[in-house]
Amino acid sequence: MRNRSLCRSAVLALLAGWFWCCLTAAALAHAALTGASPADNAVLDAAPKTLSLTFSEPVSPLVLRLVLPSGIASPLRDFVLRDRTVEITPPAGLENGTYVLTWRVVSEDGHPVSGSTIFSIGTPSASPPSSGDGVDRLVRAALWLARTGLYIGLFLGIGSAFVIRWLIPARQGGRRVAGAAALVGLAATLVSAGLQGLDALGRPLSNIIDPSVWWAGLGTSFGWTVAVLSAAFLVALAGLRWNSAGRAASAVALVAGSAALALSGHASAASPQWMMRPAVFLHALTIALWAGSLVPLVCALREGADAGRRALDRFARLVPCAVAVLVVAGVLLAVVQVEHPAALLSTAYGKVLLVKLALVLLLFAIVAVNRWVLTGPAHAGEERAMRRLSRMVMLEMLVVLAILAVAATWRFTPPPRALAVAAAPPVSIHIHSAKAMAEVTINPARAGPVDVSAVILAPDFSPMEAKDVAFVFSKPNAGVEPLRRKASLSPDGLWRAETTVLPLPGQWRLRVDVLISDFELVRLQDVVEIAP
């Protein structure tokens, strides 16, 4: 009966977490700069009237500055957001010389992104000014420690609380360890909000007490993770103390804590959202179940042969299912994030993944030794074998801690899929006829999901008020029949068809159907090159 109750509760937890992740799904991604005006290293004859930065995803500007040829940084506060483009009004009276436009924005996955572009007016300066932006290693180290502590709290704190209440009862010592891990996670999660603000604004660690820093951190999507995960830690701590409602509280904490990781971060921001967020949730949930079993298992093994044998039997029934789900979800996340096997060696994200996989294989090897060597029939019921096995389980815990520490470094490594978007800037083509013209932009110009936008002009280059616009893509040499996408007119005057999928690289035929009046349709055609 206890196993049936556990199974029913697990199914309900999975469904609740899946539903929560799907409710919170949105088209988020790690933003990358795809275009700038003036272009990087451009030399202009006169001062620009507008500066613009275009990103692969919508962003929220945090800091915008223009470094003058004298080296003085002038803040830029007059800007507007137009979908994925930040249009900035520069200071008046810009003189000849080289300028550095620096930007710091937060992408919708909650991670700050920064960079700079250089342009010159008239004659470039002999010594270009420095942007002054660098990596604050102290803030980065604090962020890494906080993220590691967050993982310890979730997987060894909340996970242990659930296992103690539902699967492997533990005495006061085991509950104290689980409670301490949860407290570490709670403190690390709360501190992470301030550190996120420091990283977002590019401030030093000494500014951690500034309220604006905390508001900046909580204002990102990571703020939702902080709120939900903090509540999960409090519920888990209460569940360790309560007797009557302890089981329900531990289950709520496990589901909420696992779902909190799906609210922000690289992996949860990838497309398709309906699949990736639940995958993050399931990956976190199964890690918590496995890692959370280790503390109560060690406690049971030290109580004696009988208690250890009962704990091992229950652990053996749980782990195969948890590991199966963990591996499937992990492989899915890795495939989407890495995209190409070559990125495993050519990117920092891929190298971190390889280190993590090596540690996971080591963990599997330890589990195999525990399962088929130390718990075989020859060792059944031996006190000595139980002590030896408890030491091996503690070794498992050390490897788990190493895996969590390695995974925490992903906070600073954009996934290859985001780097690929940045490496494939948008392509623009001009198509004209005797009756109409179109300036079409495809972003990014690579196979996969793209956004298509166009400005429709009259033959004299004046804006044309079209009644309807549609983009038609075809690739006859690959057997791809025309793909028609209806465009909608946005407030900035662009006709847009977002999330159009061009599945193959190479040359595509593009036709723009422009309905000028109820009785006149103009078709503009050209060829566009799409990168792999």
Side-chain angles (χ1 to χ4, degrees):
M1 291 298 293
R2 185 180 179 89
N3 287 337
R4 290 179 183 174
S5 176
L6 177 60
C7 291
R8 284 196 298 268
S9 300
V11 171
L12 289 175
L14 292 176
L15 291 176
W18 187 287
F19 181 66
W20 168 255
C21 293
C22 290
L23 280 180
T24 57
L28 312 180
H30 189 91
L33 185 71
T34 58
S37 179
D40 195 26
N41 293 316
V43 179
L44 311 177
D45 294 330
K49 295 181 179 179
T50 303
L51 309 174
S52 68
L53 299 167
T54 301
F55 296 87
S56 59
E57 294 291 338
V59 298
S60 299
L62 295 169
V63 179
L64 299 171
R65 294 180 300 183
L66 186 64
V67 183
L68 308 180
S70 62
I72 299 175
S74 174
L76 302 172
R77 298 187 177 91
D78 188 3
F79 64 87
V80 294
L81 288 173
R82 301 189 186 278
D83 190 38
R84 302 177 182 184
T85 300
V86 183
E87 294 186 357
I88 310 162
T89 301
L94 296 182
E95 301 177 350
N96 287 355
T98 299
Y99 295 80
V100 181
L101 173 59
T102 68
W103 46 270
R104 196 169 189 87
V105 300
V106 61
S107 57
E108 291 194 346
D109 65 359
H111 292 164
V113 184
S114 62
S116 60
T117 61
I118 298 176
F119 67 92
S120 301
I121 302 174
T123 304
S125 302
S127 178
S130 170
S131 64
D133 285 339
V135 174
D136 191 323
R137 298 191 181 279
L138 196 57
V139 172
R140 289 291 179 92
L143 271 168
W144 172 76
L145 285 173
R147 182 57 62 96
T148 303
L150 182 155
Y151 288 155
I152 290 173
L154 173 58
F155 300 127
L156 296 179
I158 293 178
S160 294
F162 178 85
V163 173
I164 288 171
R165 284 299 188 182
W166 287 87
L167 194 64
I168 305 175
R171 293 181 179 177
Q172 200 61 31
R175 297 190 183 193
R176 281 199 296 266
V177 172
L183 285 173
V184 168
L186 177 61
T189 300
L190 294 174
V191 171
S192 292
L195 295 173
Q196 174 85 354
L198 291 176
D199 193 37
L201 298 176
R203 302 273 193 89
L205 194 59
S206 58
N207 289 168
I208 189 67
I209 61 174
D210 188 341
S212 65
V213 166
W214 290 83
W215 284 116
L218 293 171
T220 67
S221 62
F222 183 67
W224 287 104
T225 296
V226 170
V228 175
L229 193 52
S230 297
F233 284 128
L234 293 175
V235 173
L237 288 168
L240 286 170
R241 296 179 62 88
W242 294 340
N243 291 322
S244 58
R247 299 183 78 196
S250 66
V252 170
L254 179 66
V255 172
S258 302
L261 292 191
L263 297 178
S264 63
H266 294 313
S268 63
S271 296
Q273 289 286 285
W274 62 267
M275 181 173 61
M276 298 307 293
R277 283 183 183 266
V280 173
F281 166 75
L282 291 175
H283 196 59
L285 182 72
T286 49
I287 292 174
L289 289 175
W290 185 358
S293 300
L294 300 179
V295 170
L297 183 57
V298 169
C299 294
L301 289 171
R302 290 184 172 182
E303 287 180 20
D306 292 339
R309 179 59 59 186
R310 288 194 299 270
L312 286 171
D313 290 342
R314 292 169 181 172
F315 182 68
R317 289 195 294 269
L318 168 70
V319 166
C321 294
V323 169
V325 176
L326 186 153
V327 170
V328 171
V331 169
L332 175 63
L333 293 170
V335 168
V336 172
Q337 293 288 76
V338 175
E339 289 192 334
H340 302 290
L344 290 171
L345 296 175
S346 62
T347 65
Y349 186 97
K351 293 173 183 177
V352 172
L353 178 58
L354 290 177
V355 174
K356 181 186 174 184
L357 290 177
L359 290 172
V360 170
L361 290 176
L362 174 60
L363 185 61
F364 285 167
I366 296 173
V367 172
V369 171
N370 293 346
R371 176 67 180 86
W372 287 292
V373 177
L374 298 183
T375 61
H379 301 283
E382 291 184 9
E383 296 287 346
R384 201 163 154 197
M386 293 295 111
R387 289 196 298 271
R388 192 161 50 238
L389 185 58
S390 70
R391 289 194 291 268
M392 290 297 290
V393 174
M394 291 184 70
L395 179 59
E396 280 188 58
M397 292 177 61
L398 291 177
V399 176
V400 167
L401 290 174
I403 292 173
L404 299 182
V406 170
T409 63
W410 268 330
R411 167 63 175 74
F412 316 108
T413 56
R417 62 172 177 83
L419 298 176
V421 171
V427 61
S428 297
I429 58 173
H430 175 80
I431 314 175
H432 65 274
S433 70
K435 295 185 177 181
M437 297 187 296
E439 293 280 352
V440 183
T441 299
I442 300 173
N443 183 30
R446 61 190 290 263
V450 300
D451 291 343
V452 188
S453 61
V455 178
I456 307 301
L457 304 171
D460 61 354
F461 291 91
S462 62
M464 174 180 285
E465 295 185 3
K467 296 179 70 68
D468 195 22
V469 172
F471 302 110
V472 183
F473 290 89
S474 62
K475 194 172 176 53
N477 60 347
V480 180
E481 297 299 324
L483 305 171
R484 182 180 178 85
R485 296 293 180 265
K486 183 179 175 62
S488 57
L489 183 61
S490 59
D492 57 2
L494 290 175
W495 289 89
R496 299 181 182 275
E498 297 183 349
T499 319
T500 300
V501 178
L502 301 180
L504 301 173
Q507 285 193 341
W508 283 77
R509 291 182 184 177
L510 170 61
R511 191 181 79 225
V512 185
D513 292 348
V514 182
L515 185 63
I516 298 177
S517 67
D518 292 337
F519 307 100
E520 187 173 11
L521 176 67
V522 175
R523 290 182 168 172
L524 308 171
Q525 300 187 63
D526 204 341
V527 175
V528 62
E529 187 73 27
I530 299 298

